[in-house]
Each structure stands twice: as structure tokens, then as C-alpha cells.
């Protein structure tokens, strides 16, 4: 069973994603902020991280920088799930890309369609 770390400070978003992922046979671990997410990723070695950007203590972009700098976590795929869509390049499917220090990550805008998130997760987890 693939393990996914969901990082978001909104408990409703976390619950929605968790329910949907568990219904699709994923193991889910959660974190409310970037600091905790780094510790969870180092300890749990998830197959994928779903990361919000705007969170208390440490924003998602900073957390991703630290994950990329750590040999234990640098290869974990990441999907950004964010309400900050103004700067995302929108394509026909409303999927954007976020550049963190020259590395590009898929970004799904909030509010999101659970089917779109699941589709992106399956694509990444199966390829990785």
C-alpha cells in the first residue's frame, strides 16, 4: 500500500483528502505545517507528499526546499495543493507548475476536484 503525507493546516481539507485517499487504498499520514512535515517525511518515508503553501510555522515552499536538501527525502515526489493560484500558469485542465529552486512540481489549485487530485496522484505514484 502506497503511503501519502498530506500537509495542510486546514483540518477540513485534510479530512476530505484523507477520506478520498483511504477509499482508494492509500495509507495516509498527515501534518499541519511545514516543520512537522519534514519530521514526518524523514520518519515515515512516504511515497508522495501533498503540500499546501500557506501554513503557520513554515510555508510549504520552504518545507520543500528542506526536503530537497535532505538525502533521505530529496526523491519523494511532491504535489502542491494551494489557494495561491494567481501566479500559476493555467492550462486547459487548470493544472499548474510551481518552481522551487529550479525543480518543478505539479500544482493543483484550491478549490480542487477530488478526481483531478486522484488522477495526478496515480500518475506520480505509478511512475515513481
Amino acid at each position: 500500500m502506497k503511503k501519502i503525507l498530506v500537509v495542510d493546516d486546514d483540518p477540513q481539507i485534510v479530512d476530505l483528502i484523507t477520506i478520498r485517499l483511504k477509499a482508494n487504498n492509500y495509507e495516509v499520514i498527515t501534518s499541519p505545517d511545514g516543520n512537522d512535515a519534514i519530521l514526518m517525511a524523514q520518519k515515515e518515508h512516504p511515497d508522495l507528499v501533498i503540500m499546501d503553501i500557506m501554513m503557520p510555522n513554515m510555508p510549504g515552499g520552504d518545507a520543500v526546499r528542506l526536503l530537497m536538501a535532505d538525502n533521505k527525502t530529496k526523491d519523494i515526489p511532491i504535489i502542491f495543493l494551494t489557494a495561491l493560484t494567481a501566479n500559476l500558469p493555467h492550462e486547459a485542465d487548470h493544472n499548474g507548475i510551481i518552481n522551487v529552486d529550479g525543480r518543478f512540481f505539479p500544482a493543483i489549485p484550491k478549490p480542487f476536484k477530488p478526481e483531478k487530485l486522484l488522477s495526478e496522484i496515480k500518475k506520480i505514484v505509478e511512475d515513481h
Side-chain angles (χ1 to χ4, degrees):
M1 183 179 291
K2 298 290 186 175
K3 186 185 303 182
I4 299 177
L5 172 58
V6 178
V7 186
D8 200 305
D9 61 324
D10 184 337
Q12 292 178 321
I13 297 287
V14 172
D15 288 346
L16 174 67
I17 295 171
T18 298
I19 290 166
R20 190 58 75 125
L21 291 177
K22 285 183 175 182
N24 284 272
N25 300 314
Y26 292 105
E27 180 182 348
V28 181
I29 52 178
T30 64
S31 173
D33 63 56
N35 283 326
D36 187 64
I38 292 165
L39 298 173
M40 292 292 290
Q42 291 169 335
K43 178 182 173 192
E44 298 287 338
H45 308 288
D47 296 290
L48 174 69
V49 175
I50 298 172
M51 180 77 70
D52 187 16
I53 291 180
M54 292 189 60
M55 295 181 290
N57 301 324
M58 180 184 295
D62 292 344
V64 168
R65 280 184 186 89
L66 292 172
L67 289 171
M68 290 185 333
D70 185 335
N71 283 334
K72 294 179 194 170
T73 57
K74 69 179 182 177
D75 295 322
I76 298 173
I78 296 166
I79 296 174
F80 281 105
L81 186 65
T82 181
L84 294 177
T85 59
N87 296 323
L88 294 181
H90 289 278
E91 299 169 3
D93 64 354
H94 301 294
N95 201 23
I97 301 292
I98 292 180
N99 178 349
V100 179
D101 297 340
R103 201 161 150 199
F104 298 90
F105 299 93
I108 297 175
K110 291 179 186 174
F112 64 96
K113 293 182 179 169
E115 311 80 45
K116 176 64 182 160
L117 180 60
L118 276 173
S119 171
E120 193 69 29
I121 289 168
K122 287 178 183 174
K123 185 170 43 172
I124 291 172
V125 170
E126 289 172 12
D127 287 348
H128 195 259

